[in-house]
Amino acid sequence: MDKRLETVTGQHVNRRKVIGGVGVAAAVPVVAAVGGLNRGVSAKQDLTAEANAIITERELSPEDVTAALETYMPSGRMDDYMMFTSSGHAGMVYAIGVPSMRNYKSIAVFTPEPWQGFGFSEESRAVLEQGAINGKVIHHGDTHHPAISETDGDYDGQYLFINEKTHGRIGVVDLSDFATKQIVKNPLLVSEHGGCFVTPNTEYVMEADQYPGVLGVGNYAPITEYEDKYRGLCAFWKFDREKGRLVQEESFGIETPPIGHDLGDAGKGACEGWAFWNSFNSEFAIGGISEGRPPMEVGASQNDMDLMTVINWKKAEEVVAAGKAVDNMGFKMIPMDVAVAEGLMYLIPEPKSPHGVDVTPDGKFIVVAGKLDPHVSIYSWEKISAAIDAGGWETDNYGVPILDFESCLETQVELGLGPLHTQYDDKGYAYTSLFLDSAVARWTVGEAGNPDSWKLVEKLPVSYNVGHICAAGGDTANPSGKYLVALNKWSLDRFPPVGPLLPQNLQLVDIREGKAFRTLADMPLGYGEPHYAQMIPMDRLNTIDVYPQEDDRVGWDPIANDWHPEGIAAGNEKIEINGTDVTVWMTVMRSHFTPDTIEVTEGDTVTMHITNIENAMDATHGFVIGGQDISLSLEAGETETIKFVADTPGVYPFYCTEFCSALHIEMVGYFLVKPASA
Ligand code: RUQ
Ligand code: CUA
């Protein structure tokens, strides 16, 4: 853990405890008061009567009332969990409190965001530019699967990775300040869906294609050469935890047959060192409705079985170290024949276009959901490794070993229609989303050799068309199992009409011991389509309150995670004019900018390094200036840079956009652009 985390962690935890303590002590139970004539008791009696009147008037059932009590957060009380969800094509990550289901922050990752100033300063613009495609900076992204960094198979709360399907990119969010620090682009993949999943100690962040192509962005082959020239890729991005960055030079991918790798999971416990991805389209369908070929959805659903890809990443790491990978567009790639010869890759049949593949907390079983099959198929790691050791397998057209289905299968459980994704709790239950049934199934994770121990227990209807589900720690080695959130795709009759584009509906589900398995709350989410989410106990997050400051030093660059070379303390503000280049070193604090009058000449190139010299928590200042597409958010202690050409003469007030003090309106300055002719 770096220094700035350690210095602030103590304060943060203490503050939370104090607030929690006061809340508990001040709680007033609304119960019928018995006798007594003092004011306090009669106030309680009044409240009880009022509570009953509200219940009657709003026609609330006992279920409604108890659900409300389970999720209500008195002001100042902290949630138990933070859930990080993707946002689909809004290109962000949302941090939502559980059980209150309130969104505390939308974290800009692939999309510029003016409130956070993301993509407007030179520093954050450079992060977006890391994700440029052939030099073209992209201003959106399709986020799907967030992954919190793990230590020993449990979320450690330090980093969050999020994949981006449209362009095959990954964003790295630092959970010490909830800000995006890096975007990487896989040069071999045009798009990807099978990420992010982390190995148990975040050695690697995994990603894979969903739609195979010719590996390498820009490489071409006609679609009719699909089977010959198109390939899949299962990639492992090396994570440098000290630096908090993914390292392309130490990453690698494994070339695979062109089956569409859909979703994956890293092995843990019993199967640590291995990785699993399931697939659809073992038919190698290529669509072509207008050419008389079957549409993709039909072509890719012909076979009764598709194929799970099983990869030994620990061994693959050694193969790369031994120099057996090739360099493909700056990314190390283990060719398919090498992967087969070295025993790195195996395929296992799995029923019909499956979707999720989810390793049980102990790593003994791998659960594959059927999507077009009402069952989940449970594979035994013990059996899979025995089948690998035994050899004598068949191979596919590309020479990749296909293990025998029956020899790897532990059992199957029939759950209902459209099973997609599975999560686990601490009581031995698994939960699987049923898209077509609009339900979540709760079933028991049984034992090896005892088929009767695997059983559907109950199903809970959700509204509607549930995709992923997220249980607290539900994909880790130690799930905590209190809450589950169903991420529902459709919400048609749940909320007031808002036009034809409807919100997603996140539903909180109680999975606590001794409590009914039921929904507690709806959270319409009107700004993006969350796919997957992960939920971490709140006390595992160690966030900072302000950026680091020392007696003689102020001005932090959160992206470099270091002192900003142009950060300045009060008293060192200046304007330097060098021909047509004007450089300003500015400080901001309640409630002024220094300097507050800047005059340049039309056509000058202006660079401003702006430092927020506040050290109080929440003392954020904004900075906007008309006509230059600039909106900054300067958190306490932060320095940011903007650069623009003063291309239009005139008088431009610049002002603070955060209501920072009673004199916030007065927090203004003038930027004057003298006409060149004057
Ligand atoms: S999957 S459509 Cu996570 Cu169910 Cu992306
Ligand atoms: Cu600073 Cu408003």
Side-chain angles (χ1 to χ4, degrees):
M1 189 182 287
D2 67 26
K3 188 167 135 268
R4 73 207 159 97
L5 278 182
E6 270 169 6
T7 47
V8 294
T9 304
Q11 296 173 18
H12 197 111
V13 171
N14 285 341
R15 190 178 65 240
R16 190 172 290 145
K17 274 200 190 118
V18 169
I19 293 169
V22 170
V24 170
V28 180
V30 183
V31 292
V34 186
L37 290 170
N38 66 56
R39 264 184 85 101
V41 172
S42 66
K44 280 182 201 168
Q45 282 172 325
D46 289 345
L47 278 178
T48 307
E50 198 179 325
N52 287 330
I54 295 170
I55 291 167
T56 312
E57 193 187 329
R58 299 198 63 211
E59 297 177 8
L60 299 176
S61 67
E63 285 75 24
D64 295 334
V65 174
T66 49
L69 295 177
E70 295 281 17
T71 55
Y72 174 68
M73 264 315 136
S75 185
R77 184 90 59 89
M78 302 294 163
D79 275 299
D80 298 351
Y81 293 92
M82 190 75 94
M83 178 173 73
F84 295 95
T85 79
S86 61
S87 73
H89 39 300
M92 303 207 180
V93 167
Y94 306 130
I96 295 167
V98 175
S100 78
M101 301 304 279
R102 295 177 296 184
N103 185 15
Y104 295 122
K105 197 169 219 176
S106 302
I107 306 168
V109 185
F110 299 100
T111 305
E113 204 287 325
W115 170 58
Q116 293 152 79
F118 186 73
F120 295 94
S121 66
E122 293 299 305
E123 292 82 2
S124 58
R125 205 194 292 265
V127 176
L128 276 181
E129 283 169 5
Q130 292 170 355
I133 309 295
N134 296 328
K136 191 180 290 179
V137 181
I138 306 292
H139 295 100
H140 72 101
D142 184 14
T143 59
H144 278 238
H145 310 110
I148 299 170
S149 58
E150 292 183 9
T151 300
D152 295 332
D154 285 323
Y155 304 147
D156 55 38
Q158 292 184 8
Y159 293 92
L160 180 119
F161 309 94
I162 179 80
N163 77 315
E164 198 272 283
K165 176 171 167 174
T166 313
H167 304 97
R169 302 184 296 174
I170 295 174
V172 181
V173 175
D174 188 335
L175 292 180
S176 72
D177 63 354
F178 281 41
T180 301
K181 304 300 168 85
Q182 185 189 26
I183 293 175
V184 295
K185 158 77 193 131
N186 193 318
L188 297 181
L189 293 176
V190 171
S191 68
E192 65 98 315
H193 179 266
C196 295
F197 309 100
V198 299
T199 55
N201 286 293
T202 324
E203 297 94 338
Y204 292 96
V205 178
M206 300 158 44
E207 69 167 351
D209 63 278
Q210 184 177 50
Y211 308 129
V214 182
L215 293 182
V217 177
N219 289 337
Y220 171 79
I223 187 86
T224 46
E225 292 176 17
Y226 185 91
E227 289 182 44
D228 278 350
K229 305 269 174 68
Y230 287 43
R231 293 291 176 265
L233 186 83
C234 294
F236 296 83
W237 282 88
K238 182 75 190 167
F239 184 57
D240 181 335
R241 200 189 279 265
E242 281 293 299
K243 296 202 177 79
R245 297 293 180 272
L246 295 170
V247 187
Q248 184 169 327
E249 299 69 42
E250 294 173 41
S251 306
F252 63 88
I254 295 169
E255 182 192 31
T256 76
I259 48 180
H261 296 103
D262 198 10
L263 270 169
D265 201 2
K268 53 178 174 277
C271 59
E272 182 164 352
W274 292 76
F276 308 89
W277 273 280
N278 54 24
S279 69
F280 60 99
N281 201 11
S282 55
E283 299 84 353
F284 308 124
I286 55 173
I289 299 183
S290 317
E291 287 74 32
R293 292 191 293 262
M296 198 70 177
E297 57 179 322
V298 175
S301 310
Q302 296 303 305
N303 292 350
D304 284 337
M305 290 289 195
D306 284 288
L307 296 161
M308 170 162 53
T309 306
V310 180
I311 283 177
N312 186 340
W313 65 261
K314 279 252 161 97
K315 203 163 170 193
E317 204 176 31
E318 291 164 18
V319 167
V320 173
K324 295 180 188 162
V326 297
D327 183 284
N328 190 351
M329 305 185 77
F331 206 83
K332 292 197 184 80
M333 189 187 83
I334 303 176
M336 198 153 52
D337 55 341
V338 176
V340 170
E342 299 283 342
L344 307 181
M345 174 160 59
Y346 301 88
L347 300 170
I348 307 178
E350 46 183 7
K352 217 169 173 61
S353 305
H355 195 48
V357 52
D358 298 286
V359 178
T360 53
D362 56 12
K364 290 189 181 158
F365 302 100
I366 297 118
V367 173
V368 169
K371 193 165 82 183
L372 298 183
D373 179 291
H375 298 89
V376 283
S377 300
I378 295 121
Y379 296 82
S380 145
W381 175 248
E382 205 183 322
K383 291 185 178 189
I384 294 173
S385 36
I388 290 173
D389 292 344
W393 44 66
E394 317 250 290
T395 59
D396 75 348
N397 293 346
Y398 300 89
V400 184
I402 303 182
L403 308 180
D404 177 59
F405 174 61
E406 295 291 340
S407 331
C408 298
L409 191 73
E410 177 66 35
T411 187
Q412 291 183 305
V413 184
E414 184 168 346
L415 298 181
L417 298 180
L420 295 186
H421 301 285
T422 299
Q423 296 265 290
Y424 303 94
D425 73 6
D426 56 347
K427 297 172 279 290
Y429 291 124
Y431 300 84
T432 300
S433 54
L434 302 172
F435 181 82
L436 299 175
D437 272 353
S438 283
V440 176
R442 174 187 247 179
W443 53 280
T444 52
V445 177
E447 350 166 295
N450 181 359
D452 291 341
S453 61
W454 305 80
K455 266 203 217 73
L456 172 64
V457 181
E458 53 190 319
K459 285 205 253 183
L460 175 72
V462 290
S463 315
Y464 302 95
N465 295 4
V466 55
H468 280 271
I469 49 178
C470 163
D475 72 333
T476 67
N478 294 291
S480 44
K482 283 172 79 176
Y483 299 106
L484 178 145
V485 172
L487 292 91
N488 304 317
K489 302 295 184 186
W490 286 37
S491 67
L492 49 158
D493 58 2
R494 296 289 93 177
F495 307 112
V498 290
L501 176 61
L502 273 61
Q504 316 295 311
N505 186 18
L506 274 48
Q507 280 185 310
L508 179 68
V509 175
D510 199 342
I511 56 169
R512 288 172 298 173
E513 186 98 67
K515 300 270 184 175
F517 179 46
R518 60 163 180 158
T519 52
L520 293 175
D522 278 19
M523 179 193 190
L525 216 147
Y527 32 85
E529 185 193 342
H531 287 260
Y532 182 46
Q534 290 190 337
M535 205 192 294
I536 180 174
M538 203 62 91
D539 61 12
R540 242 180 261 170
L541 291 172
N542 290 313
T543 53
I544 58 167
D545 294 341
V546 297
Y547 286 112
Q549 295 184 24
E550 284 169 6
D551 288 346
D552 54 343
R553 208 130 196 211
V554 58
W556 190 257
D557 179 347
I559 290 161
N561 193 22
D562 202 351
W563 297 105
H564 196 296
E566 309 297 344
I568 49 155
N572 296 331
E573 300 89 351
K574 61 182 170 180
I575 301 176
E576 257 179 33
I577 303 177
N578 196 343
T580 57
D581 288 328
V582 179
T583 309
V584 181
W585 285 265
M586 177 186 274
T587 61
V588 295
M589 68 177 299
R590 280 161 290 174
S591 300
H592 54 268
F593 299 95
T594 310
D596 62 1
T597 312
I598 301 164
E599 187 166 65
V600 304
T601 307
E602 177 187 358
D604 283 355
T605 300
V606 181
T607 306
M608 297 175 73
H609 306 292
I610 311 176
T611 302
N612 179 343
I613 57 174
E614 304 266 9
N615 57 19
M617 187 180 183
D618 211 357
T620 291
H621 297 286
F623 180 95
V624 289
I625 183 165
Q628 298 296 348
D629 198 21
I630 283 163
S631 173
L632 298 186
S633 174
L634 297 146
E635 277 69 71
E638 182 180 16
T639 299
E640 290 200 279
T641 302
I642 50 173
K643 213 171 185 169
F644 58 93
V645 176
D647 46 9
T648 315
V651 173
Y652 301 94
F654 53 86
Y655 67 92
C656 170
T657 40
E658 282 274 334
F659 209 115
C660 53
S661 71
L663 295 174
H664 151 77
I665 310 285
E666 287 80 354
M667 193 163 173
V668 64
Y670 277 97
F671 185 77
L672 303 156
V673 185
K674 227 176 356 184
S677 56

